Amino acid sequence: MKLLFEQTWDRTISHQDRTLIEQIFEYCNKDVCYTHIRTAMNHKNEQLVTLLVHNTTDYTITFQERFVRFGDLEEIFTIPKLTIPPYTSIPWTFIFKS
């Protein structure tokens, strides 16, 4: 997948908006895309990152050793009960221990 800015956008977009769009785009790959909802910290000093997880495919996605990255946080998750039907989005909170 490639991020493309229309010519006028490319010339006029603010650095802040360009960075935001690039960060949002970064959370997409060929089958799953993540949209950030909120971030919090729990009592164990772990990052709780709530994302809207989009399945952009025509098959069910499972979270069996699936790599998730949010900013500087990255972790491999196995979440048996998180299955996402085709062309469906589900909110989920991921706990980043690192």
Side-chain angles (χ1 to χ4, degrees):
M1 229 160 60
K2 179 180 176 182
L3 177 61
L4 178 67
F5 289 97
E6 185 274 332
Q7 190 176 26
T8 304
W9 271 63
D10 196 40
R11 284 194 326 265
T12 60
I13 191 169
S14 73
H15 176 71
Q16 181 180 4
D17 287 347
R18 181 182 295 273
T19 300
L20 176 62
I21 291 168
E22 288 170 347
Q23 288 173 345
I24 291 168
F25 179 76
E26 181 180 320
Y27 301 116
C28 293
N29 65 31
K30 66 180 180 178
D31 60 357
V32 176
C33 181
Y34 304 95
T35 303
H36 179 250
I37 298 173
R38 77 175 43 96
T39 303
M41 189 80 71
N42 70 10
H43 65 284
K44 296 179 184 178
N45 212 29
E46 299 166 326
Q47 291 276 342
L48 308 177
V49 180
T50 303
L51 303 170
L52 190 56
V53 184
H54 310 281
N55 177 356
T56 61
T57 71
D58 60 357
Y59 54 87
T60 298
I61 296 290
T62 62
F63 271 74
Q64 179 67 36
E65 296 188 16
R66 184 169 288 271
F67 179 78
V68 177
R69 183 172 73 184
F70 178 75
D72 294 337
L73 304 170
E74 52 186 45
E75 203 157 318
I76 296 174
F77 289 92
T78 296
I79 307 169
K81 64 192 243 178
L82 181 54
T83 58
I84 307 172
Y87 306 111
T88 302
S89 299
I90 296 176
W92 197 266
T93 298
F94 295 88
I95 301 172
F96 289 88
K97 297 174 182 155
S98 49

